[in-house]
Amino acid sequence: MLADVAGYSRMMERDESGTHLRLREVRASVTDPAIARHHGRIVRSKGDDFLVEFASAVEALSCGVEIQRAMAERNRDLAPDSRIQFRIGINLGDILIDGAEIAGDGVNVAARLEALAEPGEVAISQAVREQVRQLVGVRLVDVGHHRVKNISRPIRVFKVSTDATAVRRARMRQSLRRLRRPALIAAAMGIAALAVWRWPVDDPDVPPPRESVLVLPATVRGGGDAAVLAAADDLTHQLTTAMTKTLSGVVVAPSTASRFKGANVDAREAGTQMNVRFVVAANLLGEPDGMRVSAQLISAESGAQLWTITTEPERPSGASVPFELVGRLSNALAGEVRRAELARPMPAGASVDAYTLSWRAAAMLPNATTDQALDEVRQLYARALELEPANVTALSGLAMTIGYQGNASHDEIRGRALLKQADELSTRAVSLDAKSAFAWLVRSTVLNLRGHLPSANEAIERALSLNPYITESHAQRGLLLISAGQSEEAVAAFDRALRLNPEGPLVGVHLHNRCRAYLYLGRYEAAIDSCVRATAFAPEWLDYVLLTAAYAMHGDAKAANQAKAELLRLRPEFRIGWLKTEARTASEPARLQHAAHIEAGLRKAGVPE
C-alpha cells in the first residue's frame, strides 16, 4: 500500500509548521494505529507519503478504507485548503526484499495506482480485487484499463469510494451497537408497504404516482447462449416482483412491460407511455466463467441516469438467476427511488405530507444517538400520523423509535413503559396491514426487546414470508437464533443479509453480529476475519471487545494485546464486570453462556476485571 498527501507541497508552502504538526497528529491518531490493527509493516515513511507491506490483501484494503473514512470524518468541518487528504494505491504482487526495504514491479504498480486515485480515494489492481471478492461492504468500481508510466502492460484499476456516506454510516453504527440492541434502525429506508402491478394510464392529465416504476425487459449484450437468454427473462420477472414487495408505489406488470422487449427503447418515452416516474433497465453479458449484470435507474421525466450498478454473479446453470442478486438489485433500487422522491421539489404552496415526514424521520433515525434527537424523530412520525392516522410506515417507524429509546434507557421504569408503548404501536401496525413485511419486522424487534422470543420468531417468519428480500429481516432472524443458542444457523442468516445488500448502511453491524456468532461457536479464525471487516467501517469499542476475546482464544497474544489497547483507548472505563452485569439481567440460557465465553477470552487477554 502506497499513500501520499494530495497537495502537500502547496500546503507546506502556505503553512510549513502547521502542516507538519497536523500530519504528525494524523500519523499518530489515524494512519499508524490503523496499520497496526491490520498487521501492516511500515517499510518507509518520509514527509507526506508512506509504503506499507501486508501479508493479506484483505487486511491491506481494510486498512486503506479505514484510513480514508477516518480522514473524511476529520475533514468534515474543515475548510478545503486545511484538509489532509490521502491518495492510496494497493497492489498484490512479487517484491524484491533489500534489508528492511522492498522494491520491484509490485511496488511500482502500487505507485501508479496511488497516482490514479483522487484525494480521499483508494485505487486497487485487479490482483487485489480477485483476492477481496468476498469483502462485503466494500464497493469496488471498475474504472477500466490504464496505461501508466514505466509499466509496459495496461493495468485494470478498481476504485473504492469513501465519501460522506461512510461518515453517515459511522454515526449510524454509534447509535446501534449494544450487545442487546437490534440491528434494525436503518431498515426503514428500504422497506414499505406492498406495491401493486399496474397497467398504463390512458389519461395524460393524471400525474405519475410516487415510487412508480417500469422494469424494462432485461437485454442480453453480444447475443448470448440459451442459458443467458432464459436468465434475462427470469431476472425481469423476479426483479419486477421484488420491486412490488419493496416499494409502496405502483410497478408496471411484466405482461404489460413485455411490449418493449427486443425494441430499441427510449427510457424516457417508455416511462411517459406507462405514466411512471422511474424506469429500470438491466442487461446481461454472458462470459466463459460467469455473467456480468448491470442495471440503471432512469428518471422518466428527464431521462437522466440516477444510479447504476455492475455486478458479476455466478453464471446460472439453468434459467433462474440467484436470489441474492435480485435482492441486491431491488434493495438498492428501492433506496435510490426513495431518495429521488425525497429530493423532489415541492409544488408551490403545497404543504409537507405524511409520506415526506415519515421518510425524513427514517433518514434521521440512524444518526439519532441522544434522547433529544430521538424525540425529534418521534415528532416527525407523530406529525405524519396526525395527517394520516393509518399510515403503517409512520406507525411502525414510531414503534421502532420508541422501542429504541426504551432499550437504551438507564431508567428501568421508563424503559419498561416505553417498550410497552412500542408493543402497542407495533400491534396496531400489523392489525392495520397484516401484509406489511416492515410492520412484522418491527413487531418482531419489539417482542424480542421485551423478551418474548417465541412470538418474536413467529413475527419474523411472517415478515420473511411476505418479503424474503428484506435484508434486515434476515439479520433480525440471525439475532433471534443467537439468543436461542443456534449460532451456526445465525451465521447463515447474517451471510444471507450481507449477500442481499453488500453495500447497505448496516453491513458493519451484520459483520459484527456474525463475528459474535462465530466466537460463540469457537471458530475464532472466522470470528477474527468478520470483526476485522467490521472495523473497516467505523471502529467501535464493542468490535474490540469481540476482537480481543477472539484473538486471545485463538492464541494470538500479540494481536489480542493490540486489540485490548484499542478497546481501552476507546472505552477506558471498560471492565469485564460490565459483561457480568449484562449476563445477570439476561433471561435466555444461551446469552448467559455467550457472556461467559467472551469473559474467558477477555480474561485471557488481561482485560481489567
Side-chain angles (χ1 to χ4, degrees):
M1 179 176 79
L2 262 168
D4 82 337
V5 178
Y8 181 73
S9 298
R10 172 181 48 79
M11 294 169 68
M12 287 291 285
E13 182 179 3
R14 189 179 66 251
D15 180 9
E16 183 173 347
S17 61
T19 299
H20 181 68
L21 287 172
R22 289 203 306 276
L23 185 57
R24 282 184 60 186
E25 182 186 353
V26 166
R27 287 290 307 274
S29 61
V30 178
T31 61
D32 290 14
I35 291 166
R37 280 192 292 272
H38 294 283
H39 312 295
R41 179 179 74 88
I42 298 176
V43 177
R44 68 169 181 265
S45 173
K46 53 181 182 178
D48 65 326
D49 67 1
F50 50 87
L51 171 64
V52 187
E53 178 188 12
F54 295 87
S56 156
V58 170
E59 293 282 17
L61 181 57
S62 298
C63 181
V65 170
E66 180 180 328
I67 288 171
Q68 295 292 41
R69 287 176 173 161
M71 293 307 299
E73 174 68 14
R74 288 176 67 95
N75 290 329
R76 182 170 54 88
D77 297 324
L78 297 179
D81 60 355
S82 298
R83 295 172 182 170
I84 291 179
Q85 293 182 295
F86 290 104
R87 290 186 295 246
I88 295 179
I90 301 174
N91 183 42
L92 174 67
D94 291 333
I95 57 174
L96 300 174
I97 300 174
D98 182 10
E101 273 283 351
I102 60 174
D105 187 63
V107 178
N108 294 338
V109 171
R112 302 299 175 244
L113 290 165
E114 174 258 300
L116 291 170
E118 295 295 327
E121 282 188 341
V122 179
I124 67 172
S125 64
Q126 183 166 3
V128 175
R129 196 261 188 194
E130 292 297 326
Q131 293 296 313
V132 298
R133 278 182 180 271
Q134 304 307 313
L135 186 57
V136 293
V138 174
R139 183 178 180 184
L140 302 176
V141 180
D142 187 348
V143 295
H145 289 81
H146 291 255
R147 288 197 174 275
V148 296
K149 182 179 178 181
N150 296 332
I151 304 292
S152 59
R153 66 191 183 284
I155 57 174
R156 189 175 179 185
V157 181
F158 296 80
K159 288 188 177 181
V160 182
S161 176
T162 54
D163 56 14
T165 302
V167 178
R168 290 195 298 272
R169 181 181 296 150
R171 291 179 179 168
M172 179 274 302
R173 279 166 47 92
Q174 289 172 3
S175 70
L176 286 173
R177 302 285 280 280
R178 287 179 61 196
L179 287 175
R180 301 177 62 194
R181 184 174 294 168
L184 169 68
I185 305 303
M189 286 307 293
I191 309 165
L194 185 69
V196 294
W197 283 349
R198 68 187 293 275
W199 284 263
V201 176
D202 295 328
D203 186 352
D205 295 326
V206 176
R210 271 181 171 139
E211 299 189 16
S212 51
V213 175
L214 163 66
V215 179
L216 292 172
T219 60
V220 176
R221 288 182 292 166
D225 56 26
V228 176
L229 292 170
D233 290 339
D234 187 57
L235 176 61
T236 303
H237 195 277
Q238 283 202 53
L239 185 55
T240 305
T241 301
M243 296 297 285
T244 67
K245 293 176 179 292
T246 308
L247 290 172
S248 62
V250 289
V251 180
V252 176
S255 57
T256 304
S258 64
R259 69 175 64 179
F260 299 106
K261 185 174 183 179
N264 187 14
V265 180
D266 179 277
R268 188 174 181 181
E269 182 180 339
T272 301
Q273 286 184 38
M274 296 293 103
N275 197 43
V276 297
R277 288 185 175 180
F278 304 96
V279 175
V280 174
N283 57 68
L284 288 73
L285 174 64
E287 297 179 334
D289 59 345
M291 182 173 67
R292 180 175 295 188
V293 177
S294 63
Q296 299 83 37
L297 180 68
I298 302 164
S299 168
E301 296 165 300
S302 67
Q305 181 173 289
L306 304 176
W307 176 84
T308 185
I309 188 174
T310 299
T311 184
E312 298 179 7
E314 293 182 4
R315 187 182 178 95
S317 56
S320 296
V321 298
F323 168 83
E324 285 83 0
L325 170 64
V326 177
R328 179 181 182 183
L329 293 177
S330 62
N331 280 318
L333 286 163
E336 295 301 325
V337 164
R338 197 150 291 128
R339 274 185 278 275
E341 292 287 14
L342 289 176
R344 182 184 297 273
M346 291 181 60
S351 58
V352 67
D353 58 8
Y355 173 96
T356 303
L357 289 167
S358 295
W359 293 113
R360 281 181 184 172
M364 287 173 60
L365 186 53
N367 297 324
T369 59
T370 66
D371 226 29
Q372 181 181 355
L374 287 168
D375 281 336
E376 292 176 7
V377 174
R378 286 178 63 172
Q379 289 169 16
L380 286 176
Y381 279 130
R383 284 174 58 197
L385 290 169
E386 287 174 4
L387 296 172
E388 194 178 318
N391 187 309
V392 173
T393 300
L395 195 60
S396 301
L398 182 60
M400 181 169 62
T401 307
I402 293 173
Y404 184 14
Q405 284 187 302
N407 183 54
S409 177
H410 297 292
D411 183 332
E412 189 174 348
I413 295 175
R414 177 176 181 266
R416 282 201 302 265
L418 288 170
L419 287 174
K420 184 173 184 286
Q421 185 181 358
D423 194 330
E424 293 167 353
L425 289 167
S426 65
T427 300
R428 184 180 167 214
V430 295
S431 66
L432 281 171
D433 187 357
K435 292 185 178 180
S436 169
F438 178 44
W440 282 107
L441 169 56
V442 173
R443 179 74 184 136
S444 174
T445 301
V446 172
L447 287 166
N448 185 29
L449 291 174
R450 300 199 77 192
H452 305 319
L453 288 183
S455 298
N457 276 304
E458 290 177 8
I460 202 59
E461 292 304 324
R462 184 73 175 271
L464 286 165
S465 68
L466 289 166
N467 187 353
Y469 299 104
I470 298 177
T471 304
E472 306 317 321
S473 291
H474 293 281
Q476 169 67 6
R477 186 169 184 270
L479 290 172
L480 293 171
L481 287 165
I482 286 179
S483 294
Q486 298 173 266
S487 293
E488 192 76 53
E489 294 85 347
V491 168
F494 293 127
D495 282 345
R496 170 152 280 193
L498 291 163
R499 289 194 299 271
L500 281 170
N501 199 356
E503 285 110 26
L506 289 175
V507 166
V509 178
H510 303 333
L511 286 166
H512 170 90
N513 285 319
R514 186 176 70 172
C515 173
R516 288 173 54 201
Y518 276 132
L519 183 58
Y520 302 152
L521 288 167
R523 294 168 61 180
Y524 304 119
E525 200 167 341
I528 291 165
D529 176 73
S530 200
C531 265
V532 166
R533 293 181 181 186
T535 61
F537 289 83
E540 296 180 25
W541 66 275
L542 265 175
D543 292 323
Y544 291 101
V545 169
L546 300 185
L547 203 49
T548 301
Y551 274 131
M553 298 300 279
H554 188 51
D556 190 339
K558 181 179 178 182
N561 278 330
Q562 290 176 336
K564 178 182 70 174
E566 188 63 18
L567 165 62
L568 296 177
R569 184 186 72 82
L570 294 170
R571 186 57 64 98
E573 72 276 17
F574 179 82
R575 297 293 183 269
I576 293 175
W578 182 85
L579 287 179
K580 293 178 179 178
T581 302
E582 286 288 305
R584 283 197 297 270
T585 63
S587 58
E588 303 89 7
R591 188 173 288 170
L592 293 167
Q593 295 172 6
H594 296 162
H597 199 91
I598 297 175
E599 284 176 35
L602 295 176
R603 192 168 288 113
K604 189 174 181 180
V607 173
E609 290 287 340

